[in-house]
Amino acid sequence: MKKLNLLFISVLSMSTIYAQDISDALKYSQNEIQGTARFRALSGAFGALGGDMSAVSLNPAGSVVFSQSHASFTGSNSSIDNTTRYFNGLVSSSDSNFTINQGGVAFVFANHDQRSPWKKFALSFNYERTNNHYDNWYARGLNTNDEVFVNDNNEVLSPANSIAGYFFLSADGKRLADISVLPGESITDAYRAIGDSFGFSHQQAFLGYESFILDPEVDDDENTSYFANVEPGFFDHNYAYIATGYNGKMTFNLATQYEDKLSLGINLNSHFINYNRTTILEEDNNNGSIVDYIDFKNNLSTRGVGFSFQLGGILRLTPEFRAGLVYDSPTWYSIDEETTQFIDTNELANQGFDPINPNVVNVYPRYRLQSPSKITGSLAYIFAKQGLISFDYSKKNYSKTKFKPTSDPFFADQNQIMNDILTDASTYRVGAEYKIQQISLRGGYRFEESPYADGVTIGDLTGYSVGIGINFGNTKLDITYDEAERSFATPLYSFGLIDTASIDQKNSNITLSLAFNI
């Protein structure tokens, strides 16, 4: 049986008014391949090409590649297949959803002054989903980890492979009077008052104490030491993760073409976050515990808005060969979060109490998040009117992700953790297109490195795509199938019960776009 030093680990459960999670900060900082069917068919390798509304969202110089004004609309059906391993358990799950994930228009204006080297100007507007948060996975298994939390006298205070460890670390060092119901006070009033006065960590301690998972060492208001009514041993876990929502971006674009050699552009982007997550853990044990059943549910609702800009250029080196360069600024988000919680144990029922369902929405202080900047370099070769091949390389340093204000001690700690565990991540994309009269055949491949230094918490991503387009003259119809695979090692909770579920995820999409010249 492994013993964990309580004094070292308890810093993870420091009292705070915040409930932010580093994994969520990373989630809001990442972008998927979304957009038009043609863009997805080339796996997003469009930085030196332009001539597509999603390409404009990638490189703002791409809008003046259009020969005339242009519009497109896109719908996509996304499917996610997860295979989850948790100790001896193996669970497969699937989910799908349909979305309208792109719509935009570009207005192209020719300069009729023949003496001016500035040949064209373009003004564009484009809406695009940048990340799909729809994801359901389930972890089931017998947790056989034998770690326990002990005090200075080497006495076992709580198992670490139980959710009891989460509540124990939340309560350790806190006064009993600050995590319990006062005389004449309801569960709802107490939960709300504790959250208002002390914050999230105290609320977790409150749930652990009032559900009988924890008992104080001394039944006194000044007591700060606790032990779990859950005996060490093995635990059956049934965990569900259910998420919905998306990140989106609205782009205002300006671009111009200098002679026949250089295109330059700028994008001003308005971002938004809409994310909802529910996690449910059911835990059973046959260890002779007072509490042998726990049902713990958490709901998170996140809304955010943000701003970023992009600067890009496309240089025509020869009639066939082009190079592109794009700078993506950080995205500056302002984020609001709300949570609700529920807990039930067998001991609540034995004592004649209902499950603890405070029916309180915790509204947290608005905070800011800065995602890292990105540089993208691109090369493309055009085979007359027969086809093309394109390559993009981009680099993003996720360790620069920051919660703000950085003067806040909690945010400073989280930023330091992200600086330590996140790293530079490169992305490689290659795409090709071949035309046979009115038919275009397309394919692409992409590889994205893990943003984590360990390469395990989130693994590398590998994806491919195939598509076909039909040109009806002023109208084009495109359809694409793309698929990507990535593995994760996700802890069930950020402290206490930190055993990981290993997830192999496959994300597949069928995308249909209708584009036409105006």
Side-chain angles (χ1 to χ4, degrees), residues 26-34 57-58 128-133 247-249 269 271-272 308 310 328-329 331 333 371-372 374 394 396 398 427 429 446 448 461 486:
L26 183 61
K27 185 190 307 292
Y28 307 143
S29 300
Q30 290 181 297
N31 292 331
E32 297 176 350
I33 296 290
Q34 296 281 332
S57 188
L58 170 65
E128 197 162 280
R129 290 197 174 189
T130 57
N131 204 343
N132 187 0
H133 297 313
N247 284 20
K249 180 174 74 171
N269 304 308
H271 298 258
F272 54 91
S308 72
Q310 296 164 281
D328 287 68
S329 77
T331 301
Y333 285 110
S371 70
K374 182 175 70 172
S394 62
K396 196 171 187 177
Y398 287 96
T427 298
R429 300 173 182 173
R446 63 183 168 123
E448 298 180 13
L461 179 146
R486 186 169 231 165

Side-chain angles (χ1 to χ4, degrees), residues 241-257:
Y241 175 103
I242 304 164
T244 61
Y246 55 91
N247 284 20
K249 180 174 74 171
M250 182 69 72
T251 296
F252 171 75
N253 163 263
L254 285 171
T256 184
Q257 179 182 317

Side-chain angles (χ1 to χ4, degrees), residues 227-239:
F227 63 89
N229 289 316
V230 179
E231 296 297 324
F234 297 163
F235 296 87
D236 278 306
H237 286 152
N238 189 347
Y239 181 88

Side-chain angles (χ1 to χ4, degrees), residues 409-482:
F410 174 72
F411 286 156
D413 287 341
Q414 300 305 297
N415 292 339
Q416 185 58 52
I417 292 172
M418 287 191 288
N419 186 68
D420 293 340
I421 67 175
L422 302 181
T423 188
D424 286 327
S426 296
T427 298
Y428 307 84
R429 300 173 182 173
V430 60
E433 180 179 71
Y434 183 73
K435 297 181 180 180
I436 305 173
Q437 296 181 351
Q438 283 75 41
I439 305 296
S440 296
L441 305 177
R442 301 165 182 143
Y445 171 83
R446 63 183 168 123
F447 177 80
E448 298 180 13
E449 293 179 341
S450 168
Y452 278 86
D454 64 13
V456 174
T457 306
I458 293 180
D460 297 333
L461 179 146
T462 302
Y464 70 89
S465 52
V466 292
I468 187 171
I470 306 175
N471 189 339
F472 297 99
N474 282 330
T475 303
K476 298 178 181 178
L477 183 66
D478 301 306
I479 187 168
T480 291
Y481 173 83
D482 66 272

Side-chain angles (χ1 to χ4, degrees), residues 187-208:
I187 287 287
T188 294
D189 290 341
Y191 179 84
R192 180 185 291 112
I194 289 171
D196 291 342
S197 299
F198 303 107
F200 177 79
S201 187
H202 276 71
Q203 285 182 320
Q204 307 317 290
F206 168 82
L207 293 176

Side-chain angles (χ1 to χ4, degrees), residues 27-336:
K27 185 190 307 292
Y28 307 143
S29 300
Q30 290 181 297
N31 292 331
E32 297 176 350
I33 296 290
Q34 296 281 332
T36 67
R38 187 180 180 220
F39 184 81
R40 298 179 81 147
L42 273 66
S43 290
F46 256 92
L49 292 175
D52 179 275
M53 289 309 305
S54 291
V56 176
S57 188
L58 170 65
N59 187 338
S63 57
V64 286
V65 176
F66 289 118
S67 59
Q68 61 189 97
S69 297
H70 179 89
S72 67
F73 301 93
T74 302
S76 183
N77 188 77
S78 299
S79 299
I80 297 179
D81 299 309
N82 291 310
T83 300
T84 307
R85 295 173 180 83
Y86 183 75
F87 290 90
N88 65 332
L90 181 66
V91 181
S92 297
S93 58
S94 299
D95 194 19
S96 64
N97 69 292
F98 177 82
T99 60
I100 301 297
N101 65 327
Q102 182 275 328
V105 58
F107 299 100
V108 181
F109 306 94
N111 188 352
H112 298 293
D113 183 356
Q114 299 296 322
R115 296 170 298 177
S116 174
W118 301 98
K119 302 300 182 182
K120 284 193 296 185
F121 301 89
L123 173 67
S124 306
F125 303 91
N126 190 54
Y127 159 77
E128 197 162 280
R129 290 197 174 189
T130 57
N131 204 343
N132 187 0
H133 297 313
Y134 281 80
D135 190 15
N136 298 338
W137 57 267
Y138 306 89
R140 301 189 187 105
L142 183 66
N143 189 319
T144 56
N145 184 355
D146 62 355
E147 294 180 328
V148 294
F149 298 115
V150 299
N151 61 14
D152 292 339
N153 297 323
N154 217 30
E155 297 170 327
V156 175
L157 300 178
S158 173
N161 58 335
S162 164
I163 189 61
Y166 170 87
F167 294 109
F168 168 71
L169 289 182
S170 296
D172 184 59
K174 296 178 175 61
R175 294 175 63 246
L176 178 60
D178 296 336
I179 64 167
S180 56
V181 174
L182 299 176
E185 193 176 32
S186 69
I187 287 287
T188 294
D189 290 341
Y191 179 84
R192 180 185 291 112
I194 289 171
D196 291 342
S197 299
F198 303 107
F200 177 79
S201 187
H202 276 71
Q203 285 182 320
Q204 307 317 290
F206 168 82
L207 293 176
Y209 174 71
E210 294 295 343
S211 64
F212 299 97
I213 294 173
L214 303 177
D215 264 341
E217 292 282 357
V218 180
D219 191 11
D220 182 271
D221 283 349
E222 299 305 315
N223 174 83
T224 58
S225 299
Y226 303 86
F227 63 89
N229 289 316
V230 179
E231 296 297 324
F234 297 163
F235 296 87
D236 278 306
H237 286 152
N238 189 347
Y239 181 88
Y241 175 103
I242 304 164
T244 61
Y246 55 91
N247 284 20
K249 180 174 74 171
M250 182 69 72
T251 296
F252 171 75
N253 163 263
L254 285 171
T256 184
Q257 179 182 317
Y258 183 81
E259 295 185 338
D260 293 325
K261 298 292 185 180
L262 180 65
S263 298
L264 299 171
I266 182 172
N267 285 345
L268 303 178
N269 304 308
S270 176
H271 298 258
F272 54 91
I273 299 170
N274 182 342
Y275 176 60
N276 299 285
R277 182 184 69 216
T278 296
T279 61
I280 304 170
L281 175 71
E282 292 185 350
E283 176 181 290
D284 291 280
N285 76 83
N286 295 310
N287 305 331
S289 306
I290 294 174
V291 175
D292 57 23
Y293 170 79
I294 301 171
D295 179 8
F296 185 40
K297 179 178 180 180
N298 286 271
N299 298 306
L300 169 70
S301 177
T302 303
R303 301 292 181 269
V305 294
F307 171 79
S308 72
F309 66 88
Q310 296 164 281
L311 302 173
I314 298 175
L315 179 63
R316 189 176 181 184
L317 300 172
T318 70
E320 298 83 14
F321 196 43
R322 299 177 185 176
L325 184 65
V326 183
Y327 169 76
D328 287 68
S329 77
T331 301
W332 296 276
Y333 285 110
S334 178
I335 297 176
D336 297 294

